Amino acid sequence: MKERHEYILGEVVKAYLDTGKTVGSRMLSEQGEIGLSPASIRNAMADLERMGLLCSPHTSAGRKPTDDGIRYFVDSLMTVDSALEKRLIASAESNLHSGVELNKVLQQATEELTSLTRFAGLVSVHEPDFKRIKNIELVPISSEQILAVIISSEGEVQNRLVRRTDTMSDDKLREISSKISALLSQCNLKEARERLVKEIDQDRLKIRQLLEELKQWTENPTEGKTDLIFSGQSQLLKMPEFGVIETVRSLFAVFEEKEDLLKLVKEVERSEHGVKVFIGQEHALVDMEEISVVLSRYEGEGRMLGTLGVIGPKCMQYDRVLPIVDCTARWVSKMLGGSR
Amino acid sequence: MKERHEYILGEVVKAYLDTGKTVGSRMLSEQGEIGLSPASIRNAMADLERMGLLCSPHTSAGRKPTDDGIRYFVDSLMTVDSALEKRLIASAESNLHSGVELNKVLQQATEELTSLTRFAGLVSVHEPDFKRIKNIELVPISSEQILAVIISSEGEVQNRLVRRTDTMSDDKLREISSKISALLSQCNLKEARERLVKEIDQDRLKIRQLLEELKQWTENPTEGKTDLIFSGQSQLLKMPEFGVIETVRSLFAVFEEKEDLLKLVKEVERSEHGVKVFIGQEHALVDMEEISVVLSRYEGEGRMLGTLGVIGPKCMQYDRVLPIVDCTARWVSKMLGGSR
DNA sequence: GGCTGGCACTCTATCGACCCGAGTGCTATT
DNA sequence: AATAGCACTCGGGTCGATAGAGTGCCAGCC
């Protein structure tokens, strides 16, 4: 690709991201510092259209970049606003205080994302592996139910209601509780399951029911976890591209469904890169051709903890949004770094 | 108010709730079983307009009920669809199985609400009083942090990260854990705070930092609880009244803000009635004149646990929606009745 | 006296005609 | 190779006419 073409493409994309409208050759020639006549620009644009980087919705409507065009811009032509980046890092540093709970950090992160970008913020929490059991506590709740509180070595807490068919005194329960805790402490899920099976076979403790329910838990420990946090969804409604109700509906259907978004999240979790951008059709969400998603992984103590980012219109200012998402992810990582 | 007028008002409201459009005298005379000429109906309508129960947006546009008109209908004229009600109760009975966790029941309830009404479902969880502490468990997470797991006598579990400034062995921590648990067990928050203060003064255990953080917790135990669960928000977008983007935006702003909705929820929590309806301006949500909210309290084990209901267009079929909300609340109450 | 039919009037929503502006593609020219 | 000019195309906005739905009021009927 010739330098001339790259240059023109860059200008077209910039203008498009600025205004959200198609850009014509005259307007580009007049307002920019291109120094070329409209006709020359038209030639270049025609070439770019043949390459599949630009397209025009109809004959006399100017041109706008295709998804590929924006992709090329983001990957090769764009330079991020480094002054902005520095400011972001500085302001992030300023409110660094560790020892805060995961959920609060994430909540703050989404809000930060929406207030900086004016788009919808999105944070996913990676389903943790619940590697090792640290502690199990059985607490009597009523005559019929027991609450099992299971704590992982990573500080994850889960609780589960268990029916209490076998009648037993609270003292007895306490005794059983510490026995089970001793039995399963330091086990990973597989080991725990094995030990439970063995215990159920022997049936020494006469608490088959309870053990069965615990075993069930080892098979499906993270069932029903909430996994996606949103904020600022209503921000998106301000965008002109949502004049059509249809678009809005499918957007919010996506928010509710979550399935499809989770796919993207998983993809980012697996990827190597920090920030990943999905432009228009690239994310394969139905009826969301005008939407882009910018995501980044965040980490804590070496392991990947989840993904965060924003959802916004395709014509967003990527050179602003990318560093924002990047810095927020770094900030979250730092907050969680030493804390768990 | 004369019988004739009541009758006409009822028919107008019914027609309006059916179609969402203004209703004219001719149309009413032709399709209904009124047996009156358009002119007579017009006279009655003019009277009702003077009474403030009907209004017309402009001269030649037919009439529609005012908020007061709908209110009169709901309070005095409407009969609920008792066949529907019976079916609802039956289907609710059929999937009654107790011993399920609160959150799952509520999630299921909102989904039930949206699928039955095709509006947005809403469930609030009343901030629990966390009456008595049952158990406290301190679990070492890292060299810097301790996880405090606090279990209430109602089976509520909360956990909190605590910094670990005082170095101590895991054994020591276990010892302290059981001491604190013994100290605070069966206390309500006030008593717990007092005992903690006393303990901090004496400073026998040399764990001032830890105790301080626990004391802080007793002062604000439910901080940052999620309190409103939605579902089916995108359903609302299908309603014709959301042709205008403005309405949609303010609606979703309300969803995000939550503040205003919480006010309604609190009102329902305080009220005596089962189901409560807020029509149009009655709920005082800005820009939501075309929206109605139907809420009902639900209970468990005698005490009020929260509120659930739907948010939908003002012209919803109240005779369907009221029993649906009512039955769902009963169902939830039943599910939670014996379970905690 | 209350109900009804008729008539004149009002207001909105819709449709088609029309024009303007923005933009393109092609070709001749420098 | 870049530019200037020209004919052509298409979408959006404005304007006016029309149809339709509905009202209010009046005179007549039971």
Side-chain angles (χ1 to χ4, degrees):
Chain A
M1 182 138 75
K2 288 200 200 121
E3 196 179 343
R4 162 67 119 332
H5 287 139
E6 274 197 344
Y7 181 62
I8 298 280
L9 174 63
E11 291 305 309
V12 171
V13 174
K14 267 187 243 169
Y16 173 69
L17 297 185
D18 255 4
T19 64
K21 298 186 178 159
T22 57
V23 352
S25 54
R26 179 169 329 165
M27 172 253 182
L28 212 56
S29 149
E30 275 168 12
Q31 74 152 29
E33 305 81 19
I34 307 206
L36 288 175
S37 77
S40 312
I41 295 177
R42 276 207 286 281
N43 283 331
M45 280 167 127
D47 294 342
L48 288 165
E49 182 157 6
R50 241 165 281 131
M51 290 186 235
L53 299 174
L54 296 182
C55 66
S56 53
H58 57 85
T59 349
S60 74
R63 294 201 170 76
K64 62 178 191 178
T66 61
D67 291 354
D68 287 344
I70 300 179
R71 162 67 48 200
Y72 190 95
F73 174 77
V74 169
D75 287 347
S76 312
L77 304 178
M78 183 181 77
T79 55
V80 300
D81 184 340
S82 68
L84 168 72
E85 201 159 17
K86 278 203 189 101
R87 253 185 305 132
L88 283 175
I89 292 171
S91 94
E93 294 285 343
S94 74
N95 53 0
L96 248 181
H97 40 283
S98 67
V100 190
E101 272 168 84
L102 180 65
N103 279 332
K104 277 191 199 143
V105 175
L106 296 184
Q107 190 64 40
Q108 206 178 330
T110 50
E111 278 160 20
E112 199 76 354
L113 284 172
T114 57
S115 87
L116 286 170
T117 62
R118 301 267 155 209
F119 304 139
L122 159 68
V123 170
S124 91
V125 185
H126 180 65
E127 283 180 19
D129 307 335
F130 209 97
K131 292 219 178 76
R132 283 189 182 280
I133 294 170
K134 178 137 213 163
N135 224 345
I136 291 187
E137 194 78 3
L138 298 178
V139 185
I141 295 302
S142 70
S143 57
E144 289 158 24
Q145 297 196 303
I146 297 167
L147 185 73
V149 180
I150 307 153
I151 303 166
S152 82
S153 51
E154 289 89 22
E156 174 95 1
V157 178
Q158 296 202 3
N159 38 22
R160 188 151 293 217
L161 276 179
V162 180
R163 248 164 300 158
R164 189 185 203 178
T165 53
D166 325 277
T167 49
M168 61 182 91
S169 69
D170 284 5
D171 281 341
K172 183 78 194 297
L173 188 65
R174 210 165 301 136
E175 190 194 322
I176 291 175
S177 174
S178 69
K179 270 194 187 142
I180 291 182
S181 198
L183 178 70
L184 301 181
S185 180
Q186 299 306 322
C187 287
N188 63 27
L189 290 178
K190 192 149 163 283
E191 291 162 4
R193 185 155 53 249
E194 283 161 9
R195 293 198 190 179
L196 282 169
V197 169
K198 208 165 132 198
E199 199 63 39
I200 290 172
D201 279 348
Q202 298 183 349
D203 202 18
R204 280 179 309 184
L205 295 172
K206 306 286 177 204
I207 44 167
R208 173 179 284 269
Q209 167 88 28
L210 180 62
L211 294 176
E212 284 286 355
E213 299 223 27
L214 282 177
K215 187 178 139 231
Q216 261 178 36
W217 173 82
T218 63
E219 278 152 15
N220 193 7
T222 52
E223 173 196 350
K225 278 202 73 80
T226 57
D227 28 30
L228 281 180
I229 307 172
F230 294 104
S231 80
Q233 301 173 342
S234 66
Q235 294 284 347
L236 289 181
L237 299 174
K238 290 183 190 155
M239 315 269 95
E241 33 272 273
F242 293 106
V244 211
I245 273 293
E246 287 308 312
T247 324
V248 182
R249 182 145 87 230
S250 43
L251 179 67
F252 280 88
V254 168
F255 282 148
E256 271 183 19
E257 211 32 72
K258 291 185 176 177
E259 270 313 314
D260 296 329
L261 273 176
L262 273 177
K263 272 186 214 153
L264 289 189
V265 165
K266 295 285 168 219
E267 193 174 331
V268 174
E269 283 178 357
R270 276 194 302 273
S271 84
E272 291 298 309
H273 308 75
V275 187
K276 199 151 183 181
V277 189
F278 299 88
I279 301 162
Q281 305 197 345
E282 292 178 357
H283 48 53
L285 303 177
V286 279
D287 294 329
M288 303 272 91
E289 288 82 14
E290 293 307 308
I291 301 292
S292 284
V293 183
V294 181
L295 294 175
S296 171
R297 308 171 3 150
Y298 62 88
E299 332 216 321
E301 221 184 42
R303 75 198 177 93
M304 193 269 303
L305 280 181
T307 305
L308 58 75
V310 299
I311 299 180
K314 191 158 79 177
C315 59
M316 64 169 73
Q317 307 236 16
Y318 295 92
D319 56 343
R320 280 196 71 230
V321 174
L322 259 69
I324 287 175
V325 171
D326 192 30
C327 289
T328 309
R330 281 171 207 276
W331 175 75
V332 169
S333 297
K334 221 164 195 170
M335 289 290 278
L336 300 176
S339 77
R340 12 176 66 203
Chain B
M1 179 136 77
K2 291 202 198 119
E3 197 180 341
R4 158 67 98 13
H5 287 141
E6 273 198 343
Y7 181 61
I8 298 281
L9 174 63
E11 292 303 309
V12 171
V13 175
K14 267 187 243 169
Y16 174 69
L17 297 185
D18 254 4
T19 65
K21 301 190 175 151
T22 57
V23 353
S25 54
R26 178 168 330 164
M27 175 252 181
L28 212 54
S29 150
E30 275 170 11
Q31 72 151 31
E33 305 81 21
I34 308 203
L36 288 174
S37 77
S40 312
I41 295 176
R42 277 206 285 279
N43 283 330
M45 281 168 124
D47 294 341
L48 288 165
E49 181 157 7
R50 242 165 280 130
M51 291 185 234
L53 299 173
L54 296 183
C55 67
S56 53
H58 57 84
T59 349
S60 74
R63 293 201 170 75
K64 62 178 190 177
T66 61
D67 290 354
D68 287 345
I70 301 180
R71 162 65 52 200
Y72 191 95
F73 173 78
V74 169
D75 287 347
S76 311
L77 305 177
M78 185 180 74
T79 55
V80 300
D81 185 341
S82 68
L84 168 72
E85 200 159 19
K86 279 205 190 101
R87 251 186 306 131
L88 283 175
I89 293 171
S91 94
E93 295 286 343
S94 74
N95 54 359
L96 249 182
H97 41 280
S98 67
V100 189
E101 272 166 84
L102 180 65
N103 278 332
K104 276 191 200 144
V105 175
L106 297 183
Q107 190 63 40
Q108 205 178 332
T110 50
E111 278 161 20
E112 199 76 355
L113 283 171
T114 56
S115 87
L116 285 171
T117 63
R118 301 264 154 211
F119 304 139
L122 158 67
V123 171
S124 91
V125 186
H126 180 66
E127 281 180 23
D129 308 335
F130 209 99
K131 293 217 177 78
R132 286 192 179 280
I133 294 169
K134 179 136 211 164
N135 224 346
I136 291 188
E137 194 78 4
L138 300 177
V139 186
I141 296 301
S142 71
S143 58
E144 289 157 26
Q145 298 198 302
I146 296 168
L147 184 74
V149 180
I150 306 152
I151 303 167
S152 83
S153 53
E154 289 89 22
E156 175 95 3
V157 179
Q158 296 201 4
N159 38 20
R160 190 150 289 219
L161 275 179
V162 180
R163 247 164 301 157
R164 190 187 202 175
T165 53
D166 326 277
T167 49
M168 61 181 91
S169 68
D170 284 5
D171 281 340
K172 184 82 192 297
L173 188 65
R174 211 165 298 137
E175 189 194 322
I176 293 173
S177 173
S178 68
K179 270 192 187 144
I180 291 181
S181 197
L183 179 71
L184 301 181
S185 181
Q186 299 306 324
C187 288
N188 63 27
L189 290 179
K190 192 152 162 282
E191 291 162 4
R193 185 157 50 250
E194 283 161 10
R195 292 199 190 179
L196 283 169
V197 169
K198 206 165 132 199
E199 198 63 40
I200 291 171
D201 279 349
Q202 297 184 348
D203 203 16
R204 281 179 307 182
L205 294 173
K206 307 286 178 204
I207 45 170
R208 173 178 283 271
Q209 165 87 28
L210 181 59
L211 295 175
E212 284 286 357
E213 299 223 26
L214 282 176
K215 188 179 138 232
Q216 260 179 37
W217 173 81
T218 64
E219 278 151 16
N220 192 6
T222 52
E223 173 197 348
K225 277 202 72 78
T226 57
D227 28 30
L228 281 179
I229 308 173
F230 295 104
S231 79
Q233 299 174 344
S234 66
Q235 294 286 345
L236 289 179
L237 299 175
K238 290 184 189 158
M239 315 269 94
E241 34 271 274
F242 292 105
V244 211
I245 271 294
E246 287 309 311
T247 324
V248 181
R249 184 146 85 229
S250 44
L251 179 68
F252 280 89
V254 167
F255 282 147
E256 269 184 21
E257 211 32 72
K258 291 186 178 178
E259 271 313 316
D260 296 328
L261 273 176
L262 273 177
K263 273 186 212 153
L264 289 189
V265 165
K266 295 284 170 221
E267 194 175 330
V268 174
E269 284 178 357
R270 277 193 303 272
S271 84
E272 291 296 308
H273 307 74
V275 186
K276 199 149 188 188
V277 189
F278 300 88
I279 301 163
Q281 305 195 346
E282 292 179 356
H283 49 53
L285 303 177
V286 279
D287 294 331
M288 303 272 90
E289 288 83 13
E290 293 306 309
I291 299 292
S292 284
V293 183
V294 181
L295 293 176
S296 171
R297 308 168 6 147
Y298 62 89
E299 331 216 321
E301 220 184 43
R303 73 197 179 92
M304 195 269 302
L305 280 181
T307 305
L308 59 77
V310 299
I311 299 179
K314 191 158 78 177
C315 60
M316 64 169 74
Q317 308 237 14
Y318 295 93
D319 56 343
R320 280 196 72 230
V321 173
L322 260 69
I324 287 174
V325 171
D326 191 30
C327 289
T328 308
R330 280 171 208 277
W331 175 75
V332 169
S333 296
K334 221 165 196 171
M335 289 289 280
L336 300 176
S339 78
R340 11 177 69 204

